[in-house]
Amino acid sequence: MAEPPVNVSTLRKMKFDGEPIACLTAYDASFAALIDAARMDVVLVGDSLGMVIQGHDTTVPVTVDDIIYHTKAVARGLRHAFLMADMPFMSYTSTEQALDNAVRLMQEGGAMMIKLEGGEGQVDIVEHLARHDIPVCAHLGLKPQSVHKIGGFKVQGREPDQAKAMLDAAIRLQDAGADVVLLECVPNEVGEAATSALDVPVIGIGAGPQVDGQILVLYDILDITQGRTPRFVQNFQQGHESPLAALQAYVQAVKNREYPKPEHCFS
Ligand code: KIV
């Protein structure tokens, strides 16, 4: 019998049962079908598409229409995985605008959860979305949409007061209704502390091995990305004959906690 599709309750149960959640980005139907065949739990249509698909240096130029276009395509390729889509830069500056755009990502794109980069300043937005039954993932740590404000793609939460503020914000966002928290580029200790402090699943990218799940960018793990990749990236194509075999290897490595290794982590 086919396994039922992943939903929010499945993700919560996986956290409770200690089963690592395997997540990956996707941008089109063909890769989405392969990723689904590899038994990924969550697929994110990330605004990283601005860099890996559109060739920009940052995610800032990505629009809501871009995300909808790619989410529609990915949705057609999925049967099993849970589909999350990014709210792009400046698409959630007020509660009303956030709700309008989140509804578009769900109704037009087919997303099952929206992700937004946030902190204390986004608590009211998350609360407003949750009140309207929009599933939300709150993205903390390195927030690529703020790259021009923070001056580059840098590890966040190295200082104790910065780490504490991030943890406090994660708890506030959870209490406001966030269903998942995503932590990017933080020391292992911050990933571990957030995972034990929060009831909702914590997905990490460069957040160490103790989080509830891992996410990476598709083109990075298939060794398509040219030039320097971040420290947390592992090339899963190496040693595998097909993209499907590489994707299966990634899922297995996450499930067996063989990824991330110490060389992928910040401490
Ligand atoms: O846009 C994206 O792909 C992301 C992941 C890096 C988590 O936000």
Side-chain angles (χ1 to χ4, degrees):
M1 206 171 65
E3 257 183 274
V6 178
N7 60 38
V8 175
S9 311
T10 323
L11 300 178
R12 276 196 179 234
K13 183 171 183 315
M14 288 172 82
K15 175 175 177 113
F16 188 75
D17 293 346
E19 181 189 344
I21 304 168
C23 318
L24 192 64
T25 67
Y27 316 97
D28 68 67
S30 299
F31 268 121
L34 269 190
I35 291 168
D36 210 56
R39 278 328 216 206
M40 204 70 61
D41 299 307
V42 176
V43 170
L44 167 70
V45 179
D47 60 359
S48 51
L49 71 85
M51 300 170 79
V52 299
I53 302 285
Q54 298 173 334
H56 296 294
D57 290 336
T58 73
T59 60
V60 170
V62 176
T63 65
V64 173
D65 286 341
D66 291 336
I67 298 282
I68 290 173
Y69 174 89
H70 289 279
T71 306
K72 275 182 182 172
V74 169
R76 290 183 202 115
L78 298 183
R79 297 282 172 278
H80 168 77
F82 187 71
L83 178 55
M84 191 190 290
D86 255 341
M87 297 278 276
F89 182 62
M90 289 297 134
S91 68
Y92 47 99
T93 58
S94 67
T95 53
E96 294 76 18
Q97 186 204 22
L99 184 61
D100 286 349
N101 285 323
V103 168
R104 286 196 66 203
L105 295 194
M106 293 182 77
Q107 285 193 324
E108 297 176 42
M112 298 160 181
M113 176 177 282
I114 62 89
K115 174 165 84 61
L116 53 80
E117 296 181 9
E120 284 288 336
Q122 280 65 43
V123 167
D124 59 334
I125 289 170
V126 170
E127 206 164 44
H128 191 66
L129 295 178
R131 201 178 317 127
H132 290 84
D133 291 336
I134 308 268
V136 178
C137 170
H139 181 152
L140 292 102
L142 172 60
K143 295 181 277 184
Q145 290 171 15
S146 309
V147 62
H148 297 307
K149 183 80 174 165
I150 57 184
F153 298 97
K154 298 176 186 167
V155 180
Q156 302 294 307
R158 279 204 198 275
E159 303 303 326
D161 55 342
Q162 210 192 20
K164 185 179 179 313
M166 198 187 297
L167 219 55
D168 289 347
I171 292 169
R172 290 260 288 136
L173 289 161
Q174 168 186 267
D175 294 348
D179 304 275
V180 172
V181 164
L182 187 146
L183 284 181
E184 178 164 357
C185 254
V186 297
N188 290 1
E189 295 76 7
V190 177
E192 187 175 358
T195 305
S196 51
L198 298 176
D199 295 325
V200 298
V202 177
I203 309 296
I205 175 164
Q210 307 293 347
V211 290
D212 300 307
Q214 302 290 337
I215 186 162
L216 285 172
V217 169
L218 171 68
Y219 287 20
D220 289 347
I221 72 163
L222 294 185
D223 200 26
I224 294 169
T225 305
Q226 296 294 295
R228 199 164 160 266
T229 50
R231 178 189 173 105
F232 50 74
V233 170
Q234 180 173 333
N235 171 4
F236 282 91
Q237 191 58 72
Q238 198 168 26
H240 295 100
E241 284 197 347
S242 65
L244 177 58
L247 294 168
Q248 287 166 332
Y250 168 64
V251 172
Q252 279 318 304
V254 172
K255 297 281 176 192
N256 298 338
R257 297 197 185 275
E258 288 160 1
Y259 171 83
K261 298 188 178 65
E263 64 263 31
H264 303 122
C265 299
F266 307 101
S267 59

